[in-house]
């Protein structure tokens, strides 16, 4: 395995059967953490992730839970505690994006996006907080988006932007509520090359590169490296912050 900076830690990574969540699960495992790979629909991919972590000498389990449902979140937390005895790190990564304009978005689209992206982060944080407070240590990392911050061209999909702006506010509110024993921070990625982005229009692709100082897409591993820092002892005095991982997007 890797640097072992998270040895002895237990991490739940929601939505970690693929994409950014999978990269974070792999990185945390390489750094020595035991991993709970959470999924809803992609059971085969989640179990494959567990096998990969185990092959590399790590410890992991896969647990199905829809983070927008309180009872399923409780089951996720109980399964983690039963298997590993503690919870040190929560990464609220599970998310959905509906690629429709505001006038085409349905009420169901709105509800599902807010429920998964924002309510899910709240429910998971609330469920792990008592355990972390009892341990007198814990880390919560929210995977937000720079679309919830400042950049106009990132703000195409209304319900997604609202969910991520809400997550940024939730990050700060939880940091105040859960200190001094729990740190809560958010990562705000720019355009990251994942399955969610595969069908993007070529013209949009070119515009993204043109407005990004580093002139490339981000990778899930770029986000995972930032998450690994926030989960490590090196970030012990950082809380309530929004870390932008966007390659200098929007500085032109």
């Amino acid at each position: 395995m890797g640097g072992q900076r998270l040895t002895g830690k237990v991490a739940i990574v929601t939505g970690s059967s693929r994409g950014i969540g999978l990269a974070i699960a792999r990185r945390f495992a390489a750094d020595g953490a035991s991993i709970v790979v959470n999924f809803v629909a992609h059971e085969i991919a989640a179990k494959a992730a567990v096998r990969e972590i185990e092959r590399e000498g790590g410890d992991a389990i896969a647990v199905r839970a829809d983070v927008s449902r309180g009872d399923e979140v409780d089951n996720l937390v109980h399964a983690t505690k039963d298997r590993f005895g503690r919870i040190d790190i929560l990464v609220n990564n599970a998310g959905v994006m509906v690629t429709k304009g505001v006038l085409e978005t349905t009420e169901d689209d709105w509800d599902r996006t807010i429920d998964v992206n924002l309510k899910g982060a709240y429910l998971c944080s609330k469920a792990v907080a008592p355990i972390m407070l009892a341990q007198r240590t814990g880390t919560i990392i929210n995977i937000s988006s720079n679309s919830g911050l400042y950049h106009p061209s990132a703000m195409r999909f209304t319900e997604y932007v609202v969910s991520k702006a809400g997550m940024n506010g939730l990050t700060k509110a939880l940091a105040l509520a859960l200190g001094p024993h729990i740190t809560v921070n958010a990562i705000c990625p720019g355009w990251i090359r994942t399955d969610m982005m595969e069908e993007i229009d070529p013209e949009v692709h070119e515009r993204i590169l043109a407005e990004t100082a580093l002139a490339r897409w981000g990778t899930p591993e770029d986000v995972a490296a930032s998450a690994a820092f926030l989960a490590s002892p090196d970030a012990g005095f950082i809380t309530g912050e929004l870390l932008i991982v966007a390659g200098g997007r929007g500085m032109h």
Side-chain angles (χ1 to χ4, degrees):
M1 303 300 284
Q4 304 298 303
R5 294 202 303 167
L6 301 179
T7 297
K9 304 292 187 181
V10 176
I12 298 173
V13 185
T14 68
S16 51
S17 63
R18 57 183 186 158
I20 290 172
L22 176 58
I24 292 172
R26 286 169 170 162
R27 176 58 188 264
F28 282 11
D31 284 353
S34 299
I35 307 297
V36 177
V37 176
N38 161 250
F39 69 96
V40 174
H42 299 93
E43 181 176 8
I44 292 174
K47 290 183 175 178
V50 168
R51 288 195 299 272
E52 178 189 350
I53 289 169
E54 290 175 340
R55 277 197 305 271
E56 295 294 323
D59 196 1
I61 59 171
V63 181
R64 185 196 180 282
D66 180 342
V67 299
S68 71
R69 295 182 55 89
D71 57 339
E72 296 191 24
V73 168
D74 288 342
N75 289 339
L76 170 64
V77 171
H78 290 152
T80 304
K81 197 77 162 28
D82 287 348
R83 174 66 174 79
F84 296 114
R86 59 186 295 117
I87 301 171
D88 300 284
I89 304 162
L90 167 67
V91 181
N92 286 311
N93 168 77
V96 297
M97 177 191 287
V98 179
T99 55
K100 299 178 183 177
V102 62
L103 299 182
E104 288 75 43
T105 302
T106 67
E107 185 176 352
D108 284 345
D109 292 334
W110 174 277
D111 287 347
R112 182 63 180 158
T113 304
I114 300 299
D115 282 354
V116 173
N117 296 5
L118 182 53
K119 179 184 171 186
Y122 164 72
L123 290 176
C124 289
S125 299
K126 186 179 179 182
V128 303
I131 296 168
M132 292 180 174
L133 288 172
Q135 295 168 177
R136 300 177 69 83
T137 183
T139 301
I140 296 173
I141 302 169
N142 294 325
I143 305 301
S144 183
S145 169
N146 80 335
S147 67
L149 288 172
Y150 57 83
H151 200 278
S153 68
M155 301 179 75
R156 293 184 181 87
F157 309 121
T158 305
E159 72 293 333
Y160 182 78
V161 169
V162 170
S163 73
K164 295 303 187 178
M167 181 180 266
N168 294 341
L170 178 68
T171 298
K172 293 179 178 292
L174 287 177
L176 283 171
L178 300 179
H181 300 303
I182 302 174
T183 62
V184 187
N185 295 288
I187 297 173
C188 300
W191 291 97
I192 306 298
R193 179 70 81 183
T194 66
D195 293 345
M196 194 182 285
M197 297 290 118
E198 283 303 312
E199 298 177 9
I200 196 166
D201 183 273
E203 183 272 330
V204 175
H205 172 85
E206 291 303 318
R207 188 168 72 244
I208 289 167
L209 294 182
E211 63 190 25
T212 301
L214 296 184
R216 69 169 177 87
W217 283 73
T219 67
E221 289 72 26
D222 289 325
V223 182
S226 299
F229 165 67
L230 289 175
S232 77
D234 290 343
F237 197 56
I238 300 173
T239 196
E241 299 296 343
L242 311 178
L243 176 59
I244 301 170
V245 182
R249 184 161 184 265
M251 299 199 311
H252 287 41

